[in-house]
Amino acid sequence: MDCDVAVLGGGPGGYTAAIRAAQLGAKAVCIEKEPELGGTCLRIGCIPTKAWVQTAFAIKEAEETFGKLGVSVGEPQLDFGTANQWKDQVVKQMTQGVAGLFKANGVEWVKGEGRFKDANTIAVESSDGGVDVTFRSAVVATGSFPLRPPIEGIDSARCVDSTGLLAQTEVPRRLVVLGGGIIGCEFASIFRRFGSEVTIIEMLPKLIPAEDDDAAAELAKQFGKRGITLHLEKQATKVEETGDGLRVHFGEGETVDADLMLVAVGRGPLVEGLGLEEIGVELDRRKGIAADEHRRTTVPHIYAVGDCAGYWQLAHTAFREGEVAAENAMGHEAVVDNRGVPRPIYTDPEIAGVGLTEAEAREQYGDDVATGTFPWIANARAVMQNETVGWVKSIHETRYGELLGIVMVGPHVTDLIEAGVVALDAEATVETVADGMAAHPTLSEAVKEAGLVALGRPIHLPPKRRATAKT
């Protein structure tokens, strides 16, 4: 089988690359071994997890807000079977949608497991036999896999990764989460709302270690209020079966009992067994495939996108990288700009950031940094929604007023962060954000208000709150 562009992997980076290449006139082929398109994100990651997030949010609304708004619904009860049916229905709709997009754009899906035979051929093996796909350009988009640390007893069937947790048919009474990163914190938040006793064990001194310090501290504070037990700067040393559960050993002789343990210590790039090294593609088994801003590898007509080749293990970065790789493969000039990458975290409260964290800004710009924080308690729409936990923080440099970053904690911030993405991509100043009009009453007003606080001219904060502007 001959084609212009062959894409190995049908996840967010791969299917986007295949569709974009086809739009540009290529005969595009996508090689995917799973029974559905969409990769980890659509099938066993982002989409099913966030469907559970929506269920958890509905429970929270019924428990904490409906009564205040004058709506009586009684004590909420989780029907986990129905929640799982909804999760599966959402996944099915999204994966079928990708298959429909392939058909509409003329992308051919070759089902099977692919391996590079040479620099212009991918051999595909399947239950129906095999086929060689020859190409002018190729895009590697094989994704990542959950890591499992070398801890005694962690091979227990009760120690599951995110895929295993999403497959559960019953809510565990006691859940231990090994790893306080994004995946661990999201599942901890969900299952606490579902009724589990949740304990997080994290070896570093804070949750979501790569995120803004203030956001991490706020999340830890709110998790504590919700009854999630945190053990920071502690390492798990052993897991043992107790007959009807697990006993997890950590720290200096400490233990916690659980019915299930989620192992969420990170993900590694899927790069082995693909024949890449044999054709000269440089890679690192921990960091992934080496690729430049055009997403070119060390073999110029072969590109790499998504988790298998990037620092950002995010579906939306894979989308953009797939577009860029396809455009370059088809003779256009495109680059990936990492300045405006949004960082959504679907915990309760939600967290989102874009650009630099405050610590990163001060490391790069020293004393020429100012921040302003606007709390949700001062936002009318947040008060109406009974969602006043958290804040919006604006970060800028003071010499020219360039906006460096925005960090948010609170209601719907994973949606609101797009305003910061656009501002950073446009190289906006903090004055541009602060002086723009924001519809009232809306949550998005907080972005403008944080900018006003950063400039030292807040309108909707009382004097005692104005100290939240920092330089």
Side-chain angles (χ1 to χ4, degrees):
M1 178 186 295
D2 295 327
C3 67
D4 298 310
V5 178
V7 180
L8 184 56
Y15 77 71
T16 302
I19 290 170
R20 184 65 183 128
Q23 289 174 344
L24 292 171
K27 179 181 179 182
V29 168
C30 183
I31 301 159
E32 173 55 65
K33 65 181 179 180
E34 298 295 340
E36 296 92 18
L37 294 166
T40 295
C41 175
L42 268 66
R43 298 182 304 104
I44 52 173
C46 321
I47 299 304
T49 303
K50 277 55 177 184
W52 270 355
V53 166
Q54 203 63 36
T55 297
F57 180 70
I59 295 171
K60 176 186 177 180
E61 289 274 270
E63 287 178 340
E64 300 180 4
T65 300
F66 286 173
K68 290 184 178 181
L69 302 183
V71 179
S72 299
V73 294
E75 184 74 19
Q77 298 291 327
L78 172 65
D79 183 337
F80 195 50
T82 300
N84 278 335
Q85 288 175 10
W86 176 247
K87 167 175 65 71
D88 296 342
Q89 180 182 330
V90 171
V91 169
K92 183 177 180 181
Q93 183 172 334
M94 294 297 102
T95 55
Q96 287 181 341
V98 176
L101 290 171
F102 270 19
K103 186 175 181 180
N105 286 279
V107 176
E108 184 171 355
W109 176 11
V110 175
K111 299 179 181 180
E113 187 166 356
R115 188 180 192 280
F116 283 88
K117 190 174 183 179
D118 56 48
N120 288 94
T121 310
I122 298 175
V124 183
E125 297 294 333
S126 70
S127 57
D128 299 327
V131 62
D132 284 353
V133 177
T134 58
F135 54 83
R136 290 192 301 109
S137 297
V139 180
V140 184
T142 46
S144 61
F145 65 95
L147 298 173
R148 188 161 285 236
I151 297 172
E152 181 184 347
I154 204 168
D155 55 349
S156 166
R158 292 180 182 269
C159 297
V160 298
D161 57 24
S162 56
T163 304
L165 188 56
L166 282 162
Q168 296 299 306
T169 57
E170 295 182 359
V171 175
R173 185 171 66 85
R174 302 163 301 175
L175 175 68
V176 167
V177 178
L178 183 61
I182 294 172
I183 294 173
C185 284
E186 287 185 349
F187 278 115
S189 185
I190 291 166
F191 276 88
R192 182 66 190 122
R193 190 65 67 183
F194 284 178
S196 298
E197 298 174 13
V198 179
T199 300
I200 297 176
I201 301 172
E202 167 58 49
M203 65 183 293
L204 295 176
K206 70 171 191 173
L207 297 176
I208 47 172
E211 194 44 77
D212 187 86
D213 290 343
D214 289 340
E218 187 70 55
L219 183 64
K221 176 183 174 183
Q222 298 304 324
F223 270 11
K225 288 183 176 181
R226 293 182 56 196
I228 296 174
T229 302
L230 304 180
H231 294 289
L232 303 178
E233 297 186 89
K234 302 286 178 69
Q235 286 186 270
T237 55
K238 180 182 177 183
V239 180
E240 58 182 345
E241 300 257 6
T242 60
D244 61 347
L246 296 171
R247 180 160 294 145
V248 182
H249 297 255
F250 65 96
E252 299 295 329
E254 299 172 81
T255 62
V256 60
D257 291 337
D259 301 293
L260 201 67
M261 182 167 85
L262 168 65
V263 182
V265 296
R267 298 179 66 86
L270 272 168
V271 294
E272 295 194 64
L274 303 178
L276 292 169
E277 291 172 296
E278 290 88 335
I279 62 172
V281 174
E282 181 183 330
L283 61 87
D284 183 294
R285 284 169 175 76
R286 291 180 300 173
K287 297 179 181 179
I289 301 167
D292 64 16
E293 60 183 359
H294 302 276
R295 305 316 299 165
R296 284 193 184 91
T297 70
T298 48
V299 177
H301 68 284
I302 296 178
Y303 300 79
V305 303
D307 286 10
C308 70
Y311 170 76
W312 298 104
Q313 290 186 339
L314 298 166
H316 45 276
T317 53
F319 287 144
R320 180 58 188 149
E321 290 171 3
E323 288 179 307
V324 167
E327 288 168 6
N328 285 305
M330 292 302 293
H332 297 263
E333 179 71 18
V335 298
V336 177
D337 184 352
N338 286 319
R339 177 176 46 206
V341 175
R343 308 184 300 271
I345 304 174
Y346 298 83
T347 46
D348 178 11
E350 287 188 358
I351 295 171
V354 64
L356 302 181
T357 65
E358 183 176 345
E360 290 169 340
R362 295 191 184 281
E363 181 179 350
Q364 293 185 32
Y365 292 86
D367 294 334
D368 294 331
V369 172
T371 69
T373 303
F374 187 81
W376 289 111
I377 192 67
N379 177 274
R381 192 65 186 273
V383 173
M384 294 174 202
Q385 295 180 3
N386 192 38
E387 290 280 357
T388 56
V389 167
W391 36 262
V392 175
K393 178 164 66 172
S394 178
I395 306 164
H396 72 278
E397 57 84 34
T398 55
R399 180 170 291 186
Y400 302 105
E402 180 186 356
L403 186 68
L404 300 177
I406 292 180
V407 179
M408 307 178 177
V409 179
H412 303 289
V413 298
T414 56
D415 296 308
L416 295 172
I417 198 61
E418 181 65 14
V421 172
V422 173
L424 282 169
D425 279 343
E427 299 183 9
T429 64
V430 67
E431 286 88 353
T432 300
V433 175
D435 292 342
M437 289 189 187
H440 176 78
T442 61
L443 296 175
S444 59
E445 286 179 277
V447 179
K448 168 188 171 72
E449 296 283 355
L452 287 170
V453 175
L455 291 170
R457 48 188 181 95
I459 300 297
H460 293 101
L461 284 184
K464 66 178 181 179
R465 290 278 192 176
R466 297 186 183 185
T468 52
K470 295 188 293 182
T471 58

